[in-house]
Each structure stands twice: as C-alpha cells, then as structure tokens.
C-alpha cells in the first residue's frame, strides 16, 4: 500500500509539473524539456557505461541550436550562428578525443557518444519543435499536451487490457509482459481519445489528431521495446529510481522520444 501511494503521488507530481510547464509559457516548456533531456541522457549514458562529457555538451548545443529561433527578445540569429559553429567544433573535438582512448575502445567509445545523441538528444530537440510547427499559432501548447495525453492513454490502456486479457506475447524475447491484446487495446483507446482531442484542441484538424494517434500507438510501443532491449542488455530493471514507483525519466519518456520525430516529420509535411 505504501509503494502504491508513493507511485500515485510521484505520478501526480510529475504529470502536474509537466502540464503546468507546457501551459504556462513556451520558455518554461523549453527549459523543462531541456532538463528532462539531460536527465534522460544521464540515465542512458550510465546504462551503456559511457564515461564522457561530450554527449552533454553536444546535446546542449544541439538543443539550443534547434530551439533558439523560437525564443523572442534575444539576438536569435546571431546566437544561432555562434552555437552552430560551437556545435561543429565540439563534434570535431569528440572525434579527436578518440586519439586518447585505448585502441580496442575507439569505435565503441565514439559509437556510444553518437548513439546517445541519436537516441536521446535528437528526439528531444525535435519534440520541442512540435508546438511551433502550426503556422496559425506562435506557440500551440495544446499540440504537445495532446501528444502526451495520447501517449499516456496508449500506455495506460495497453497495460490495463494486457494485464487483464493478454494471452499472446508481443515480443517475449525483449519484453515478456507486453501482449498483442494490450497493443491493440491501447491503440483503440488512443484513437478514441484523439477524436475527443480534436473537439477540444482546434490547433490541429481531426484527421491530423487521428494520424498522430496512429503514430503514437505504433512508434510509441517500438520506443518502449527498444528501451527494454537496452535495459535487458545492461541487466537493469529501470533506467534509474529517480521517480518513486515509476523508475527513471527515460522509463517515462521511452515512448514519446521514439514517436516524436515521426510526429515532427508528419506535421512538417502537412503544415
């Protein structure tokens, strides 16, 4: 009972902070998601046993580079240019750093650096772009909020239906608890909620919300399975214990970081 209470309380606090930061302003949204990116990066770097500061430096510069033009009242274009140069130099230095690594670790070291960038930093950088893609709005907070509502819906109903009715394993070798029934159930309820969102959040059309629901329910599950694969290889149950009863931040964002780039691409094409 104590563990359940702790799980519920930490979940409420986490969701409340996330929703408040999204709705309060674009600056609070960008800052929070930068912090979340660094926390997820820390968990992943520790999971793959990478001892390097370059993922954090490259991640910070790439995040600023991709988001600075969305921030007003700063010499955005000038900073954009300087950050771009700094990002190039940092990537160059990270390549040069392998000169000081042990011969047998060269490819592994460099590969882990760029795996962490591709898996964590790029999805977060694109995720933060999502509410700025609608040309009718400067910052459409309801778009990114709707994405998270769909993610939470898919995760919750996949778990509930899978736990109660699941009989056929989805991918037993990677995640023995996930079932085909849970996957289908999560998808169905995600589509239902997308129809409700289209009535409340007019920043996107009904068709666009339905397509995003399809992306979330498909690629979100793939993201969950991929993180499960990394955890299985690392021999850990959770990415960390930062969130009581929920594991780590990467455990909470594994679905959205894989779905976000596809949502970004879709909205970029239709807007």
């Amino acid at each position: 009972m104590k563990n359940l209470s702790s799980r519920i309380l930490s979940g409420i606090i986490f969701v409340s902070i996330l929703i408040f930061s999204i709705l309060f302003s674009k600056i609070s949204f960008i800052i929070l998601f930068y912090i979340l990116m660094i926390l997820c990066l820390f968990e992943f770097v520790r999971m793959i046993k990478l001892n390097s500061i370059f993922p954090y430096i490259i991640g910070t510069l790439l995040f600023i580079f991709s988001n600075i033009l969305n921030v007003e009242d700063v010499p955005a274009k000038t900073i954009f240019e300087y950050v771009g140069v700094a990002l190039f130099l940092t990537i160059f230095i990270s390549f040069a750093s392998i000169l000081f690594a042990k011969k047998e670790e060269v490819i592994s070291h460099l590969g882990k650096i760029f795996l962490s960038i591709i898996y964590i930093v790029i999805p977060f950088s694109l995720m933060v772009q999502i509410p700025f893609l609608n040309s009718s709005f400067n910052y459409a907070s309801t778009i990114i909020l709707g994405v998270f509502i769909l993610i939470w819906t898919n995760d919750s109903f996949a778990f509930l239906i899978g736990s109660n009715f699941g009989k056929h394993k989805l991918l037993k070798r990677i995640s023995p608890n996930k079932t085909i029934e849970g996957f289908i159930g999560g998808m169905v309820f995600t589509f239902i909620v997308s129809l409700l969102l289209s009535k409340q959040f007019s920043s996107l059309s009904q068709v666009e919300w339905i397509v995003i629901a399809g992306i979330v329910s498909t690629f979100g599950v793939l993201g969950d399975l991929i993180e499960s694969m990394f955890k299985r290889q690392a021999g850990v149950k959770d990415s960390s214990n930062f969130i009581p009863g929920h594991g780590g931040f990467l455990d909470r964002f594994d679905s959205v970081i894989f779905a976000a780039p596809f949502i970004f691409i879709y909205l970029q094409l239709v807007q």
Side-chain angles (χ1 to χ4, degrees), residues 50 52 54-55 58 94 97 108-117:
L50 172 62
S52 173
F54 286 110
I58 297 173
S94 69
S97 70
S108 174
H109 180 78
L110 199 58
K112 287 179 179 180
I113 289 175
F114 286 97
L115 174 62
S116 63
I117 300 303

Side-chain angles (χ1 to χ4, degrees), residues 42 63 91 146 167 175 217 224 252:
F42 170 77
F63 191 88
I91 293 173
K167 294 181 180 180
S175 184
S217 55
D224 197 347
R252 301 279 61 80

Side-chain angles (χ1 to χ4, degrees), residues 44-73:
F44 185 66
V45 164
R46 188 175 62 172
M47 192 188 302
I48 62 175
K49 296 179 174 59
L50 172 62
N51 184 22
S52 173
I53 63 169
F54 286 110
Y56 303 101
I57 299 174
I58 297 173
T60 297
L61 291 172
L62 186 59
F63 191 88
I64 295 173
F65 184 77
S66 60
N67 287 290
I68 191 64
L69 295 180
N70 293 325
V71 181
E72 297 172 353
D73 302 323

Side-chain angles (χ1 to χ4, degrees), residues 169-178 225 228-229 232-233:
K169 301 299 181 183
L170 184 63
L171 196 59
K172 186 176 180 179
R173 180 175 60 86
I174 300 298
S175 184
N177 293 326
K178 294 194 181 304
L225 289 170
S228 294
M229 180 187 67
R232 183 173 286 268
Q233 292 229 341

